[in-house]
Amino acid sequence: MAKFELGTESEIAHYYNDDETLRLVNAMANVIGIPIEEVWEAYGGFLIQFTMETGWDELLRAMAPDLEGFLDSLDSLHYFIDHVVYKTKLRGPSFRCDVQADGTLLLHYYSKRSGLYPIVKGIRNLRKASSGKYLGVVREVARRIYDTEVVMKVQERKQEHLDAFVTEHVVFVITQIENSNSVQKAISSKTDSQIDLTQKCFPTAIRQETRVTDLLELVHPEVPFSYESIRYYKNSLFVFRLKGIGDIVHEVSDEAKTVLLKGAMVFIDDGKYILYMCSVNVTTVHRQER
C-alpha cells in the first residue's frame, strides 16, 4: 500500500525522505482505520519512549529543571543531533514558550513542514492510544521526566510568510493537571531577569555606523536575518559566520576555514535590544606537534 519493496519498509537505520514518510503514515492510517493526525500523535509519544530507551535518557533529563525550559531547549537539541551527532542538514521545527499569568504555557511551534504539529500535541482521547501509552511529545516528556500530567489544545494555526519562506505556526495552550494526592513540580519556574547593558563594544564596530550584517552572516537557522525572524526563532541555536576576518589555517596544506559563532538570542528591555550570547563553534581540536 505504501509502495515499498517488500522487506525494506521497516529498516531502522534508513533515512526516509518526506515523501516516503508520508506514504508510510497514510498506509498505516488506512490499515488501522484512524485519521492521519492520530498516527502522528501516537508517533510523538513513541518517539520520546524510543529516544529515552536508546541511550538519550540522561541527556533529556538534564536539559532543564521544568517543562518550559525543556521546550525552550528543543531547538538547541535538534541542532546538536542533526549537525553534530549525525551531521545532517535537516530543518527541524522551532519552539518558543510564553508563560501566562494563570500558570499555563503558550507553546509556539514553527515548521516548514505543514501538518506535522500533532506529533507535538498527542492523543486527544487516552483510550485511543493503547490505554494512554503514547501521549505525544509534550505530554510524554511531562509524564516521564517531570512526573506531571498536562493537557494541550490548539489555540491557533496559521501560515506565515518570512520573505521567500512559508512557515506553519501553531500555538498550543499547555495546562497542568492538578493532583491533590502528590506534590508536583511546576511546569515553569522562569523569572524575568535584568541584564546590565553597560557592555564594551566590539572594537571594529562603530555605534550607529556599523550594521550587524556587515560583521556576521547567518548560517542557522535558515531564515531571513531580520528582527521578526529572530523573535519567531528566539529559542533556536543561532550560528553566524564572521565576514572577512578570523580565517583559520592550521597548516600550509589546510584550507582556510572561517570562524563560526554559535549561541542564543536574549531579548532585553521588552525587545528594545537583542543580546547575542555566543562562543566559537568548535567541533574538532587540532593538536600542535612540538
Side-chain angles (χ1 to χ4, degrees), residues 74 80-81 86 94 102 165 189 199 209 233 239 242 268 270 275:
L74 280 178
F80 173 73
I81 293 175
Y86 295 113
S94 183
D102 60 0
F165 298 90
S189 58
Q199 307 287 333
E209 295 183 20
Y233 291 86
V239 180
L242 287 178
I268 304 172
D270 294 327
L275 176 65

Side-chain angles (χ1 to χ4, degrees), residues 34-63:
I34 62 175
I36 294 176
E37 289 78 9
E38 291 191 8
V39 176
W40 286 125
E41 290 170 348
Y43 169 74
F46 169 78
L47 178 62
I48 295 300
Q49 174 185 303
F50 179 80
T51 302
M52 296 187 72
E53 293 178 355
T54 53
W56 295 87
D57 177 82
E58 292 186 5
L59 175 62
L60 295 182
R61 293 185 183 278
M63 283 178 58

Side-chain angles (χ1 to χ4, degrees), residues 237-269:
L237 185 68
F238 280 80
V239 180
F240 288 92
R241 179 183 294 111
L242 287 178
K243 287 187 174 181
I245 61 173
D247 290 344
I248 298 176
V249 178
H250 295 284
E251 297 179 4
V252 176
S253 59
D254 285 348
E255 181 181 353
K257 298 181 179 179
T258 57
V259 174
L260 295 180
L261 302 176
K262 66 176 181 179
M265 295 293 184
V266 180
F267 282 76
I268 304 172
D269 197 9

Side-chain angles (χ1 to χ4, degrees), residues 170-238:
V170 182
V171 181
F172 300 95
V173 179
I174 304 176
T175 305
Q176 186 173 25
I177 300 176
E178 299 295 335
N179 188 346
S180 59
N181 297 324
S182 62
V183 178
Q184 294 180 305
K185 296 179 181 178
I187 58 177
S188 173
S189 58
K190 183 183 292 184
T191 57
D192 293 334
S193 59
Q194 297 296 323
I195 299 179
D196 185 9
L197 294 179
T198 58
Q199 307 287 333
K200 292 184 178 180
C201 294
F202 190 73
T204 60
I206 303 175
R207 187 173 183 179
Q208 295 182 346
E209 295 183 20
T210 304
R211 297 175 299 179
V212 67
T213 51
D214 294 334
L215 305 175
L216 303 174
E217 177 185 353
L218 182 60
V219 176
H220 178 85
E222 296 182 18
V223 296
F225 191 10
S226 64
Y227 180 89
E228 188 177 45
S229 296
I230 294 175
R231 183 171 63 86
Y232 284 157
Y233 291 86
K234 71 174 186 178
N235 289 322
S236 177
L237 185 68
F238 280 80

Side-chain angles (χ1 to χ4, degrees), residues 37 40-41 109 111 113-122 154 157 168 170 172:
E37 289 78 9
W40 286 125
E41 290 170 348
Y109 163 89
S111 177
R113 295 182 174 96
S114 179
L116 301 186
Y117 69 93
I119 296 175
V120 179
K121 181 177 179 293
V154 176
R157 181 189 178 194
E168 181 171 60
V170 182
F172 300 95

